[in-house]
Amino acid sequence: MSGREHDLGEIRDAVAKLCATFPMEYWRETDRERRYPTEFVRALTEAGWLSCLIPEEYGGAGLPLTAAAAVLEEIQRSGANGAACHAQMYVMGTLLRHGSPAQKEKYLPKIAKGELRLQAFGVTEPTAGTDTSSIRTTAVRKGERYVVNGQKVWTSRAEHSDLMLLLARTAPRSEAKRTAGLSVFIVDMKTALGRGLAIRPIRTMINHATTEVFFDNLEVPTENLLGEEGKGFRYILDGMNAERILIGAECVGDARWFIAKATAYAGERRVFGRPIGQNQGVQFPIARAYMATEAAALMVERAAALYESGQPCGKEANMAKQLAAEASWQAGDMCLQTHGGFGFAEEYDIERKFRETRLYQIAPISTNLVLCYLAEHVLGLPRSY
Ligand SMILES: Cc1cc2nc3c(=O)[nH]c(=O)nc-3n(C[C@H](O)[C@H](O)[C@H](O)COP(=O)(O)OP(=O)(O)OC[C@H]3O[C@@H](n4cnc5c(N)ncnc54)[C@H](O)[C@@H]3O)c2cc1C
């Protein structure tokens, strides 16, 4: 399908069909064993969905962000866990917008063919937390190389990715312009592993393949610098807006899965001689979750439309992610409550999805920081952080 004539309905149907070939038992098992869903990621790659944002000239489908959002929403709506591979979609924008023609030529066709995975995004550090300008990982230029030292935390999928988009300091932090002096690099992780790069998995309450990454005099060729040195923060902001929109779409998918599951169960489960869904005490939370989800879905759509027309969308992207994360959490809580004790049983998949969707109030940006952003940048209140 080409970027010009994409049809979201067709995309949704095709993705739903692919997801249906991975039964819920597959997700239960990968979750139980904290195993990377390699087969699912391979199937999505082979079907071209993970490269859908890559322009046609580089072998992708050249679809816009709304199409990528539809793909991720459908994955979540099917009960699957797209976190195993969603990064390729949002990291892509940074490479597409700021990569040189040579970098695009080198990486994009291989990513489109599935020969390379670009699934790792190394921003967060243990001591900096949300304050990205305080990161301490440095990249010091020495001739034709940058020498990288430092540490990242929560670098998801690092063990299952060939490439990482890395944010590092190339100039000391100045109070006058805290976000200046940061640069973005493409790190070839397979070559770097054992030669200055070490990865340590972190076991978490969800199956997320997240890790700590250590850099010890890792040499990165200067040709792997993305855009101009020192302007990296601006480049990753673009990527972050895309990330928030896409994660918002995933949360809408989760919420729709919870609502469908709860509605079906409320219709069939009989207690006191009638379906539990006949009780308003059971109906109303489902209706509320539905309302919240539909409202969030509109904000996701609006943010995606602004993003793909090249307009500022920081406000909408943040609100979309936050409203959708709250809607999916509300829907998850409602779904668990609707199922009574059975909601706790692994075989219903609710407890798994409940854990998975909770992440999105913390990552990629936590609730408070979205509110801080709106208070300061939209409402004009004094900066609180
Ligand atoms: C499973 C998982 C996967 C992740 N994947 C990635 C990844 O692939 N790449 C990557 O770079 N990062 C990743 N992250 C990191 C994620 O983006 C951060 O955890 C998140 O941004 C929050 O940062 P923090 O954990 O350092 O929390 P902190 O910044 O330490 O904040 C802790 C708490 O304090 C609150 N807080 C902090 N400052 C303020 C303030 N001024 N006002 C009000 N409240 C405040 C926050 O809202 C939060 O609730 C991942 C995290 C998890 C858990």
Side-chain angles (χ1 to χ4, degrees), residues 234-285:
R234 187 163 61 76
Y235 303 155
I236 62 158
L237 272 188
D238 277 354
M240 285 175 169
N241 281 334
E243 181 179 26
R244 283 164 205 181
I245 296 166
L246 292 172
I247 290 199
E250 289 189 302
C251 290
V252 168
D254 279 344
R256 288 183 168 152
W257 183 87
F258 285 125
I259 292 165
K261 188 101 177 158
T263 307
Y265 190 75
E268 79 202 17
R269 170 76 169 163
R270 295 182 73 85
V271 181
F272 296 110
R274 58 183 179 162
I276 56 168
Q278 199 175 332
N279 303 299
Q280 289 182 335
V282 174
Q283 288 176 356
F284 287 2

Side-chain angles (χ1 to χ4, degrees), residues 27-83:
W27 294 105
R28 270 172 233 148
E29 187 199 306
T30 47
D31 175 63
R32 207 180 296 130
E33 296 170 5
R34 294 294 188 271
R35 182 169 76 75
Y36 190 72
T38 305
E39 306 77 9
F40 179 72
V41 176
R42 192 182 302 129
L44 275 181
T45 306
E46 284 170 2
W49 296 119
L50 289 188
S51 58
C52 68
L53 293 174
I54 296 180
E56 287 168 286
E57 59 187 297
Y58 297 110
L63 296 176
L65 197 74
T66 39
V71 170
L72 292 176
E73 186 197 319
E74 280 312 313
I75 292 173
Q76 298 306 114
R77 190 181 188 165
S78 77
N81 181 10

Side-chain angles (χ1 to χ4, degrees), residues 28 47 49 55 72 96 117 134 140 143 150 179 201 211-212 237 251 294 296 317 321 335 383:
R28 270 172 233 148
W49 296 119
L72 292 176
L96 285 178
R117 282 190 195 150
S134 297
V140 177
T179 53
T211 70
E212 278 179 292
L237 272 188
C251 290
E294 292 308 302
K321 190 287 246 183
C335 188
R383 183 181 172 92

